[in-house]
């Protein structure tokens, strides 16, 4: 399946808090991936550790409900790189952040991603589609989410495309 990166305007039109939320996530750009660890317990997950005490982890939804989530590595069009492991991205820097639009998924039509080295998009996924990325900055005692978004689909023959709400 082929996905499409949402534009910044499309993302920010999904809610009044999104411009500020995305500005916080922009602080990831340029940060290097230092290590990858496994968190065990009730909701096991893989945690990405970046510079300056920043961690990225996945969760099922905005409320933190447990659920099966995982990281998936894709190219810029959302095609899976099955041969690339997250650990092989150590030392690579974040090039961009955003969301892929999945026109075939009505339940979770967007998938958040963090792009490393300008070519590998590390996406948060779950069986229902896109999951949520938790972005924590320990040194600032601050965190935020690459939350669930539901962009408004364009009406007409190109209904699979997304556009900003007026």
């Amino acid at each position: 399946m082929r996905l499409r990166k949402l534009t910044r305007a499309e993302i920010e039109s999904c809610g009044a808090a999104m411009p500020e939320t995305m500005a916080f996530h922009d602080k990831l750009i340029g940060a290097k991936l230092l290590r990858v660890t496994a968190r065990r317990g009730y909701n096991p997950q893989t945690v990405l550790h970046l510079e300056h005490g920043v961690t990225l982890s996945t969760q099922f939804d905005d409320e933190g409900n447990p659920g099966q989530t995982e990281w998936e590595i894709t190219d810029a069009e959302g095609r899976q790189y099955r041969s690339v492991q997250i650990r092989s991205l150590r030392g690579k820097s974040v090039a961009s952040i955003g969301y892929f639009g999945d026109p075939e998924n009505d339940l979770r039509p967007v998938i958040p991603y963090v792009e490393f080295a300008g070519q590998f998009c590390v996406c948060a996924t779950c069986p229902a589609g896109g999951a949520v990325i938790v972005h924590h900055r320990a040194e600032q005692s601050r965190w935020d989410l690459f939350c669930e978004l539901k962009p408004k689909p364009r009406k007409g023959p190109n209904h699979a495309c997304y556009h900003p709400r007026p």
Side-chain angles (χ1 to χ4, degrees):
M1 173 181 27
R2 191 170 177 175
L3 303 175
R4 181 180 73 79
K5 286 184 177 181
L6 298 179
T7 67
R8 187 62 170 253
E10 289 172 309
I11 296 167
E12 291 182 354
S13 73
C14 289
M18 286 311 295
E20 183 179 338
T21 297
M22 291 305 288
F24 177 74
H25 296 318
D26 283 341
K27 294 177 181 181
L28 292 170
I29 296 174
K32 288 184 182 177
L33 177 62
L34 300 178
R35 68 185 186 284
V36 179
T37 60
R39 187 178 294 161
R40 309 220 186 281
Y42 176 65
N43 190 19
Q45 57 188 246
T46 301
V47 180
L48 309 182
H49 299 266
L50 284 74
E51 295 177 309
H52 313 296
V54 174
T55 60
L56 300 177
S57 57
T58 60
Q59 67 185 35
F60 184 72
D61 59 18
D62 293 350
E63 289 81 33
N65 292 314
Q68 180 183 0
T69 62
E70 64 183 355
W71 294 109
E72 183 178 297
I73 300 175
T74 72
D75 65 10
E77 294 179 339
R79 291 183 295 245
Q80 255 189 327
Y81 275 121
R82 296 196 190 281
S83 61
V84 178
Q85 302 296 315
I86 289 180
R87 284 175 170 64
S88 65
L89 299 178
R90 284 183 296 207
K92 306 284 189 224
S93 297
V94 174
S96 69
I97 58 163
Y99 291 87
F100 281 118
D102 182 355
E104 296 178 13
N105 190 332
D106 292 333
L107 184 61
R108 295 202 175 177
V110 297
I111 301 168
Y113 70 84
V114 177
E115 184 177 20
F116 287 90
Q119 74 182 88
F120 301 105
C121 295
V122 178
C123 306
T125 62
C126 71
V132 172
I133 297 175
V134 180
H135 170 189
H136 183 253
R137 301 182 85 74
E139 290 181 5
Q140 297 174 0
S141 296
R142 184 154 178 227
W143 63 274
D144 209 336
L145 305 174
F146 285 86
C147 56
E148 294 180 79
L149 297 179
K150 295 199 177 185
K152 185 177 179 181
R154 181 184 304 166
K155 295 180 180 176
N158 295 325
H159 68 280
C161 297
Y162 300 108
H163 72 93
R165 292 184 201 144

